[in-house]
């Protein structure tokens, strides 16, 4: 069994979602051979020294307990937690891998992404993303004290919420050309991603091949996941 989750946006101000995550780790996560976290596990991540925050440490340790029981937990970072790094990975017992990440589902080639890189119509975000994904920029950012970084991240969250209210909802979805390119460049027939908070299964044709794009749900107090049971993908949620 492989399960895929994303967009939990964990933070102490959302205890219902935190509880749902802990329930998920105690139950459904243990049934997985591999658990994939496709980005935005945390509301934001200001650097691995953010493990000083007891909430973040508790989340990492909860993941570690599942990893220690034999589940292979793999993480693709999101636009909120792209600064998750090796210290977090070690503590949580997870592997952080680059996107797009190729896997096979019953012999069918698939790729996994967070999904933000597909939103190419959102030009202000694309500019912002290019800046913060630059290693030199990240090194400079991480050189600042944790308290300063946390403040910047929180200010930025507020700015992002304001910016989104002014954006046309259409530009915040994936761009059809970017999706086609992802299928074309990888040769995959299945793409699984999160980010847009528009859970769905889309059927499309690329290069004469039938392709499927699965979009994961964001969490609001209930666990939601996509599941590969060895023969099919299906969206699931806790009752
Ligand atoms: O996350 P969400 O769903 O609200 O919106 C995203 C895009 N916004 C972001 C920003 C994150 O929410 C906040 C990131 C926290 C990261 C913490 C790590 C520390 C890094 C600190 C970096 C300074 O990703 C949003 C998209 C939306 O998805 C849909 O796809 O629209 O994009 C934006 O809102 C970006 C704005 O359009 C442009 C922002 C310009 C602000 C520039 C300030 C630069 C400050 C630099 C300070 C050193
Ligand atoms: Mn996201």
């Amino acid at each position: 069994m492989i399960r895929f989750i994303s967009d939990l946006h964990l933070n102490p101000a959302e205890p219902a979602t935190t509880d749902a995550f802990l329930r998920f780790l105690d139950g459904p996560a243990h049934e997985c051979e591999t658990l994939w976290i496709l980005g935005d596990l945390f509301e934001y991540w200001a650097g691995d020294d953010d493990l000083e925050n007891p909430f973040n440490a508790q989340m990492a340790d909860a993941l570690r307990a599942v990893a220690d029981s034999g589940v292979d937990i793999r993480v693709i970072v999101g636009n909120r937690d792209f600064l998750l790094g090796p210290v977090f990975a070690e503590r949580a017992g997870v592997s952080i891998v680059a996107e797009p990440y190729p896997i096979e589902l019953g012999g069918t080639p698939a790729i996994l992404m967070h999904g933000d890189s597909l939103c190419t119509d959102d030009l202000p975000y694309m500019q912002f993303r290019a800046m913060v994904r630059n290693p030199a920029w990240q090194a400079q950012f991480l050189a600042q004290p944790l308290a300063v970084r946390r403040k910047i991240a929180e200010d930025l969250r507020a700015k992002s919420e304001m910016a989104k209210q002014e954006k046309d909802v259409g530009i915040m979805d994936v761009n059809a050309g970017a999706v086609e390119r992802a299928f074309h460049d990888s040769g995959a027939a299945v793409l699984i991603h999160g980010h847009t908070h528009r859970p769905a299964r889309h059927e499309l044709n690329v290069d004469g091949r039938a392709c499927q794009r699965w979009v994961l749900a964001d969490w609001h107090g209930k666990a939601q996941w996509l599941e590969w049971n060895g023969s099919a993908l299906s969206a699931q949620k806790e009752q």
Side-chain angles (χ1 to χ4, degrees), residues 152-233:
I152 292 173
E154 278 164 22
D155 287 351
L156 206 59
R157 285 290 310 117
K159 277 200 181 74
S160 178
E161 290 304 322
M162 281 194 306
K164 285 193 295 187
Q165 283 179 20
E166 312 220 318
K167 288 179 187 174
D168 182 293
V169 290
I171 73 151
M172 291 189 281
D173 201 353
V174 296
N175 169 284
V179 169
E180 273 192 29
R181 258 191 314 281
F183 279 111
H184 174 82
D185 292 350
S186 63
V190 174
L191 161 61
I192 302 173
H193 71 82
H195 181 68
T196 60
H197 308 174
R198 300 174 198 220
R201 182 186 73 180
H202 300 273
E203 311 269 353
L204 64 160
N205 204 286
V206 181
D207 305 334
R209 290 181 293 121
C211 295
Q212 279 186 2
R213 177 170 70 90
W214 289 81
V215 188
L216 303 180
D218 52 327
W219 287 31
H220 292 285
K222 270 203 175 154
Q224 309 212 46
W225 62 90
L226 185 70
E227 176 170 298
W228 170 256
N229 63 6
S231 54
L233 282 166

Side-chain angles (χ1 to χ4, degrees), residues 128-143:
F128 172 75
R129 187 179 196 275
M131 175 179 83
V132 300
R133 294 298 182 105
N134 177 314
W137 186 91
Q138 290 188 2
Q140 242 181 0
F141 180 74
L142 289 169

Side-chain angles (χ1 to χ4, degrees), residues 23 28 221-225 235-239:
R23 281 196 304 276
K222 270 203 175 154
Q224 309 212 46
W225 62 90
Q236 306 279 337
K237 62 172 103 162
E238 78 176 319
Q239 295 310 309

Side-chain angles (χ1 to χ4, degrees), residues 1-2 23 37 42 44 46-47 49 55 63 82 90 95-96 100 128 133 141 180 182 188 193 197 202 218 224 232:
M1 177 92 75
I2 308 175
R23 281 196 304 276
I37 303 175
F42 291 101
Y44 69 82
D49 51 351
F55 175 84
L63 280 164
F82 58 87
E90 171 74 27
S95 319
I96 299 177
F128 172 75
R133 294 298 182 105
F141 180 74
E180 273 192 29
H193 71 82
H197 308 174
H202 300 273
D218 52 327
Q224 309 212 46

Side-chain angles (χ1 to χ4, degrees), residues 8-12 17-18 21 40-44 55 59:
L8 286 72
H9 309 130
L10 294 174
N11 75 91
T17 299
T18 305
F21 181 54
D40 290 359
L41 175 64
F42 291 101
E43 172 73 2
Y44 69 82
F55 175 84
M59 297 303 110

Side-chain angles (χ1 to χ4, degrees), residues 21 25 35 37 41-42 58-68 73 75 88 91-94:
F21 181 54
L25 291 183
L35 170 64
I37 303 175
L41 175 64
F42 291 101
Q58 186 199 350
M59 297 303 110
D61 293 344
L63 280 164
R64 180 58 182 250
V66 178
D68 283 348
I73 308 180
V75 174
F88 169 80
R91 174 132 179 194
V94 305

